[in-house]
Amino acid sequence: MAKLNPFEMSQKQLDICADILHLDPGTHAILRTPMRELHVSLPIRMDDGTIKVFQGFRVQYNDVKGPTKGGIRFHPDETIDTVRALAAWMTWKCALVDIPLGGGKGGIICNPKELSQGELERLSRTYIDKVFQFIGPDQDIPAPDVYTTPQIMSWMMDEYSKIAGKNQFGVITGKPMCIGGSVGRTDATARGGWYCVREAAKEFGIDLKGATVAIQGYGNAGYHAALLGQTIFGSTIVAVSDSKGGIYNPAGLDSQAVYEHKVKTGSVINFPGSEPITNEDLLELDVDILILAALEHVITGENATKIKAKIVAEAANGPTTPEADDILYEKGVHVIPDFLCNAGGVTVSYFEMVQNFNRYCWTEEEVHERLDERMTAAYHATLRGSKKYDVNMRRSAYVVAIERVVEAMQTHGWV
Ligand code: NAD
């Protein structure tokens, strides 16, 4: 069978939930397609004086619960269907953490590694010139995503503000702190994931103090997951990895020292006092918690039967295939699905918007407390749904989210 493209995949996931929820055909049809999308041509003067025309997109999937929100990706393989799927997933993710936002996403087909800083700035500003009418603090709020940075967000916010004739900090999130960014954004994804793990551990009677943890990936999500697990919950991080390989120490790794070693040498491998372990073997370790913070499709039909962890936390997007999902559910492995587990990032982005609107900066404690409230509530709503519909946590997360979007559509009178 031909591989589904991401948009077809997101529609298929919706179709399954529509059956569970007995959605009427009209409501189902509205949810199957984006509400609005814009395709733009972006002519850029390159450093050598020539003009090159790039293609960009912005998709607003559904705004029934509030202005749409979602990142902008710069990628050579970007397609409109990827952007549509990601915009749909943002709609469900925002509904699951119960923030008053809809889902959107944007992208430009380009290879940012081949662009100079000047070209990158002109591309970022031109994109905003072209989508200006379409976005705004009350309408659609972009954010960073693959290969887009706080600097790019700053140029985009500046360009939007120039056209608007006034500072519009709230039009974009993921900004640096000095121009309206929020404290607590850097580790928000890992922190939100740990709040879910904490609730799952209570449910399954696992004491996090001394619980064993293996983490695949040691970038933003993986490193902070290791550090927070060790420092807040007293868990023992027995193995971590990156694209070059993994390290193992049953007595526990010092997360900060491993990070410094990675900064110095470019990888976690060869960390003093650790044994090497492959990425494949790390997944199959007999640990309490396995955190996936690298790539998609790492637990598959091939290795799912060998997973020994009691809890699998998906910080990464799409690390478990549908076939593996069924096997893990049968085995009783508790999977905290990606769009619940990594929703801490968008939640703190929403906090950034709220602070921008009010021109007030919260303390780090306030951000953490509010993040904890949202993530804990979302986790328990998903767990309840899983029991009510007798489905795994992933399917339940979709059902809970879609149910909330549908309720808003009915209340608006759309259906
Ligand atoms: P990152 O680029 O900072 O880190 C990725 C890590 O994965 C690196 O350590 C890299 O070496 C490792 N890696 C790459 N290939 C690997 C392989 N074959 N085997 C093992 N490790 C490998 O990225 P990140 O921001 O930490 O994101 C990781 C995942 O989490 C992605 O799926 C991302 O979409 C998801 N996510 C991140 C955030 C966030 O706020 N950072 C939010 C939502 C979702």
Side-chain angles (χ1 to χ4, degrees), residues 115-171:
L115 299 175
S116 70
Q117 279 296 97
E119 289 165 343
L120 211 49
E121 177 171 355
R122 292 194 286 283
L123 184 61
S124 306
R125 289 186 183 276
T126 305
Y127 179 78
I128 292 300
D129 298 343
K130 302 288 179 183
V131 302
F132 177 81
Q133 302 286 354
F134 202 58
I135 64 168
D138 297 316
Q139 198 174 344
D140 182 13
I141 303 98
D145 205 286
V146 175
Y147 293 144
T148 49
T149 59
Q151 176 61 72
I152 291 175
M153 297 305 108
S154 308
W155 290 326
M156 288 184 167
M157 188 273 281
D158 184 67
E159 188 68 15
Y160 186 92
S161 297
K162 274 187 189 160
I163 303 172
K166 56 189 171 191
N167 266 337
Q168 292 279 282
F169 285 5
V171 71

Side-chain angles (χ1 to χ4, degrees), residues 93 146 185-186 188-189 216-222 241-245 262 279 292-296 298 315-318 342-343 345:
K93 192 186 268 198
V146 175
R185 176 63 186 90
T186 318
T189 301
Q216 188 188 50
Y218 215 66
N220 179 284
S241 69
D242 60 26
S243 56
K244 299 205 173 112
K262 183 172 164 78
N279 261 295
L292 304 173
L295 300 175
E296 62 280 3
V298 293
N317 285 314
N342 66 31

